[in-house]
Every structure is written in structure tokens, then in C-alpha cells.
């Protein structure tokens, strides 16, 4: 998986300071300056690919890798403005930095489209040319919780190893303080409880959305809890895949040794694991449409049009476009595959 991700990410990586220009390269195209918090995030690599596809022959996309460094991202924004960006598309490293970005764009009347990491609503309301493209964070947690509950009820005899009627779980959390990580953690577990299932948390820790860190956490948990673990819940597929790698080393998914694992994002690598029976399911976080919507709004803004002009999107009361989540299991896996075509 790591090798495959490296190959994918090696294609299209742009210089973190100068940016990569996507599109036809014609001077007549308006420039959109964009940053992604880090290119080697599994999910964001697919958002980036969608952005590049949507930008082609539409806008000149100057795309930067912020390398998970907020100070670097601020410098990149300064450079993008100096290079003549007509709008900005920003995937924040730290959501709290949104106001700093606004303070740089507003004096020059440059529209800002934040995406994937949602800033505080007050920041968006404070600038009439600021918008957000993303999801409703709680929705992914609710859907993941429903998925877990259905899987538990359908396979209780197999999953409930100690036959105590409780679901003993470990949870791999994303970046602490990230709206998606906090919401998925809370709503996934709360939804399982609301279905009348008793739960017991054996361990929870952050793996920062990262597969390698998740493997290390899962290795430690298996050493400590072993067969006491009955379910692995991950805030994203990258960490779910890391958990699967750890479980495979420990002999799971061979013979009758099994561990249910769920994630969020429905990236192609996770869909493959679901087909192989190594993940129970995931929740489609629509990278293709998030990237598409981000560029469509940013392109309209760069051209001086209404951001929704000619698009299918709608803004909610918080000036946000919400791309819906979809529960994915083996039964409807084609829905997940279609999202990456």
C-alpha cells in the first residue's frame, strides 16, 4: 500500500514553494492559488487529482504542498497573492489559521474557498468572499456507527469473542481538534450505543490520519489486549489500512482468525480490502466531488462570477457546500468505485 501510494503521489507533486501550474498554461486563464495541507495524505491525494482534472482548460491552478506546516502555508499564500492569484483554494493545516488567510486576502479583495478542513463559521461570515467546500462532519460518524451496529448484530456470534454481549473496541483517531476527527469519534460510538449495543473502549489514540502510525498503534494494542479486541474503528481509511497491515502480521484474515475493521473515505485501496474481506466497510467521503466543487467555486470567483454560477452546488446558512457521505459495504461497493472513475 505504501509503495502504491508513493507511486501515486510521485505523479503530479508540485514544488512546495513555487507551485505547479495546471491547465492549458495560457496567460488568458485566470489564476487560482491553492494549497493542500500535505500531499501524502491518502484522501487528499485523490482530492488533488480531482482538482487538477477540473482545472484543466478552465483556470491556471497554482497548487502547493504545505507539508503539514502552517507557517509554510502562510508563506505560500503570500507567494500566490504576489503571483497574481485571482482566488484562493485553501486546505488549512490548522483550521484556527483561517482568519490569518482572510486577513491577507481581504485587503486585495481576493475570494477564498476553504476546503476539507472547516474554519469557524464566524470567520466565513466576517468576509463576504469566503466560502467552504466539504462535508457535514457528524454525518460520517453517524453512518460509520450504523455500519458498525449492523455488522455487529449480523455477526454477533462470531464477533463477540468473550460472549459478554458487549462490543470491545479500539479506536484510531485522526488529528486531535480536527472537526472530522472529533465528530467521527463521538458520533460513531454514540450511534452504536443508540442502537442498544453495549460498548467498552479498550484503547483510543491518535494516529494522525497516517497508515504507518496506525500500524504502530495497532501492533502495541495487539500486544497488550490480544483477543480482547473485537472491533477496530478508524477515523479514516488510511489508518484502517494501517490496522489491517498490523492484523495481517498477527495472523488475522487467515483461516478463521478475523477482526472487523471499518474506516471512512472509501479510497480505492480500502475498497480492495473490503472485496478481500479484510475490512467490513467504510463511508464514502467523495474526494472527486470535493475537488470538483472546490475548483468550480474558485474558478467562478476568479472570473468575477457568482461562485455557484453554472454549478449543481448549493450553499447552506454557513456559506458552505456540503458534499454528502455514503455508507459502503461489499453489497454496494460499485458506488465507491464509481466515485473514482
Amino acid at each position: 500500500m505504501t509503495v502504491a501510494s508513493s507511486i501515486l503521489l510521485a505523479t503530479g507533486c508540485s514544488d512546495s514553494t513555487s507551485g505547479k501550474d495546471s491547465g492549458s498554461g495560457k496567460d488568458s486563464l485566470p489564476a487560482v492559488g491553492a494549497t493542500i495541507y500535505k500531499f501524502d495524505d491518502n484522501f487528499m491525494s485523490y482530492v488533488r487529482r480531482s482538482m487538477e482534472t477540473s482545472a484543466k482548460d478552465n483556470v491556471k491552478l497554482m497548487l502547493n504542498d504545505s507539508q503539514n506546516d502552517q507557517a509554510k502555508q502562510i508563506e505560500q499564500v503570500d507567494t500566490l497573492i504576489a503571483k497574481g492569484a485571482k482566488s484562493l483554494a485553501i486546505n488549512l493545516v490548522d483550521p484556527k489559521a483561517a482568519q490569518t488567510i482572510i486577513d491577507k486576502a481581504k485587503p486585495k479583495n481576493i475570494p477564498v474557498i476553504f476546503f476539507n478542513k472547516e474554519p469557524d463559521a464566524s470567520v466565513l461570515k466576517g468576509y463576504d468572499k469566503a466560502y467552504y467546500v466539504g462535508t457535514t462532519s457528524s454525518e460520517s460518524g453517524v453512518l460509520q456507527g450504523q455500519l458498525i451496529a449492523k455488522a455487529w448484530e449480523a455477526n454477533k456470534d462470531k464477533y463477540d469473542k468473550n460472549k459478554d454481549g458487549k462490543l470491545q473496541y479500539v479506536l484510531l483517531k485522526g488529528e486531535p481538534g480536527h472537526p472530522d476527527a472529533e465528530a467521527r469519534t463521538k458520533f460513531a460510538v454514540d450511534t452504536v450505543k443508540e442502537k442498544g449495543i453495549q460498548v467498552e473502549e479498550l484503547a483510543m489514540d491518535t494516529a494522525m490520519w497516517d497508515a504507518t502510525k496506525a500500524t504502530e498503534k495497532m501492533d502495541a494494542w495487539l500486544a497488550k489486549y490480544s483477543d480482547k479486541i473485537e472491533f477496530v474503528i478508524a477515523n479514516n481509511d488510511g489508518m484502517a489500512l494501517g490496522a489491517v497491515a498490523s492484523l495481517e502480521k498477527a495472523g488475522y484474515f487467515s483461516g478463521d482468525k478475523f477482526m472487523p475493521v471499518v474506516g471512512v473515505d472509501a479510497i480505492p485501496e480500502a475498497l480492495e480490502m473490503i472485496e478481500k474481506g479484510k475490512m467490513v466497510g467504510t463511508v464514502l467521503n467523495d474526494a472527486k466531488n470535493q475537488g470538483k466543487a472546490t475548483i468550480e467555486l474558485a474558478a467562478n470567483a476568479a472570473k468575477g462570477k457568482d461562485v455557484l454560477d453554472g454549478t449543481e452546488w448549493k450553499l447552506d446558512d454557513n456559506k458552505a457546500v456540503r458534499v454528502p457521505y455514503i455508507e459502503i459495504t461489499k453489497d454496494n461497493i460499485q458506488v465507491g468505485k464509481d466515485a473514482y472513475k
Side-chain angles (χ1 to χ4, degrees):
M1 181 203 74
T2 304
V3 173
S5 296
S6 298
I7 292 170
L8 170 68
L9 296 167
T11 62
C13 276
S14 60
D15 183 84
S16 63
T17 54
S18 65
K20 174 186 175 180
D21 297 345
S22 295
S24 69
K26 294 178 182 177
D27 292 337
S28 59
L29 293 176
V32 172
T35 66
I36 286 178
Y37 94 101
K38 64 172 186 171
F39 275 8
D40 61 357
D41 178 279
N42 298 68
F43 177 71
M44 292 311 299
S45 68
Y46 290 104
V47 176
R48 171 162 60 94
R49 187 165 72 181
S50 174
M51 290 172 68
E52 290 172 337
T53 299
S54 299
K56 190 175 181 182
D57 298 324
N58 185 17
V59 292
K60 179 184 178 184
L61 180 62
M62 300 185 290
L63 189 55
N64 292 262
D65 180 0
S66 297
Q67 299 174 1
N68 208 22
D69 182 335
Q70 188 58 63
K72 180 186 287 291
Q73 186 171 72
I74 297 297
E75 291 174 4
Q76 290 169 342
V77 169
D78 286 332
T79 301
L80 290 167
I81 291 173
K83 281 186 166 186
K86 299 299 184 186
S87 69
L88 297 172
I90 307 296
N91 171 224
L92 292 158
V93 175
D94 180 356
K96 294 183 180 67
Q99 188 60 56
T100 302
I101 305 293
I102 294 292
D103 291 343
K104 291 180 177 295
K106 191 174 182 178
K108 297 185 180 295
N109 211 32
I110 298 172
V112 183
I113 315 298
F114 294 104
F115 64 102
N116 184 257
K117 288 191 185 182
E118 187 169 5
D120 190 87
S122 63
V123 176
L124 295 181
K125 288 178 181 177
Y127 181 36
D128 63 346
K129 289 183 168 61
Y131 305 91
Y132 176 67
V133 173
T135 58
T136 302
S137 297
S138 59
E139 184 183 12
S140 58
V142 170
L143 289 176
Q144 190 186 55
Q146 291 175 353
L147 193 162
I148 293 165
K150 282 187 279 190
W152 176 262
E153 294 294 356
N155 300 278
K156 198 169 181 180
D157 289 344
K158 181 181 177 182
Y159 291 178
D160 190 10
K161 297 174 185 175
N162 61 4
K163 308 302 178 188
D164 67 349
K166 291 183 183 178
L167 187 159
Q168 273 87 21
Y169 70 90
V170 294
L171 193 148
L172 290 158
K173 188 175 180 179
E175 178 187 354
H178 188 299
D180 288 345
E182 300 301 334
R184 290 172 190 176
T185 298
K186 171 179 168 52
F187 285 96
V189 175
D190 284 356
T191 301
V192 174
K193 291 177 181 175
E194 286 167 10
K195 298 293 183 182
I197 298 169
Q198 294 185 59
V199 301
E200 180 184 352
E201 179 186 292
L202 296 179
M204 177 175 69
D205 202 354
T206 179
M208 295 297 291
W209 307 119
D210 186 80
T212 302
K213 287 184 175 66
T215 299
E216 293 168 357
K217 295 290 180 189
M218 196 70 219
D219 286 347
W221 289 342
L222 285 171
K224 183 174 182 179
Y225 298 106
S226 188
D227 286 343
K228 291 181 181 178
I229 302 171
E230 296 175 339
F231 223 109
V232 179
I233 304 170
N235 279 175
N236 80 335
D237 284 343
M239 295 186 294
L241 292 167
V244 168
S246 172
L247 289 161
E248 285 178 323
K249 287 189 297 180
Y252 284 85
F253 314 117
S254 177
D256 61 355
K257 196 171 184 182
F258 179 77
M259 178 73 72
V261 179
V262 294
V264 175
D265 285 340
I267 60 175
E269 297 91 334
L271 298 178
E272 184 180 338
M273 290 298 107
I274 292 170
E275 286 189 308
K276 290 180 177 179
K278 295 180 181 181
M279 281 178 62
V280 169
T282 184
V283 179
L284 175 62
N285 191 4
D286 195 338
K288 185 176 181 179
N289 275 318
Q290 282 191 48
K292 181 172 180 279
T294 297
I295 291 300
E296 287 181 348
L297 267 66
N300 277 334
K303 296 171 184 176
K305 300 179 180 179
D306 183 286
V307 289
L308 300 180
D309 186 60
T311 76
E312 63 185 281
W313 314 112
K314 295 179 180 178
L315 293 172
D316 66 12
D317 292 340
N318 289 323
K319 298 166 67 183
V321 168
R322 305 290 179 181
V323 180
Y325 287 101
I326 304 171
E327 179 185 320
I328 301 292
T329 64
K330 213 168 195 174
D331 294 337
N332 69 336
I333 201 159
Q334 192 59 44
V335 173
K337 290 181 176 181
D338 289 345
Y340 289 92
K341 284 183 177 178

